[in-house]
Amino acid sequence: MNRINPNKLLHSKWTAVQPVGKAVHFMVVELERDADGAVTRCLLDAVVAGQSSWVDWRALKDAGAWRHGWR
């Protein structure tokens, strides 16, 4: 399990264990917060492909799917 502080997610870099739409390297470019200010999801931007998708930030905790940093 990846340890994540949701308040430090912005601009963090991630590597998908399995390619997502032919993309492997991603960067968190935006955070969405609820009314209380807690992070609910993040926008991942594929570095090479330029595709973006919203993901529940807790999904990044799964070490079987995501690695912190670019590898």
Side-chain angles (χ1 to χ4, degrees):
M1 180 192 264
N2 295 317
R3 296 184 67 179
I4 302 172
N5 179 344
N7 293 317
K8 294 185 179 182
L9 270 175
L10 193 59
H11 303 298
S12 62
K13 298 170 183 152
W14 295 87
T15 300
V17 173
Q18 296 292 327
V20 178
K22 297 185 180 181
V24 179
H25 297 108
F26 296 85
M27 180 181 286
V28 177
V29 294
E30 190 175 336
L31 298 176
E32 182 176 88
R33 297 176 182 270
D34 63 11
D36 297 326
V39 176
T40 57
R41 62 184 185 158
C42 57
L43 183 63
L44 289 177
D45 189 28
V47 176
V48 175
Q51 301 168 335
S52 298
S53 60
W54 285 99
V55 177
D56 183 335
W57 74 271
R58 291 171 196 88
L60 298 174
K61 288 184 172 185
D62 181 7
W66 295 99
R67 305 272 188 241
H68 189 259
W70 290 342
R71 298 187 170 125

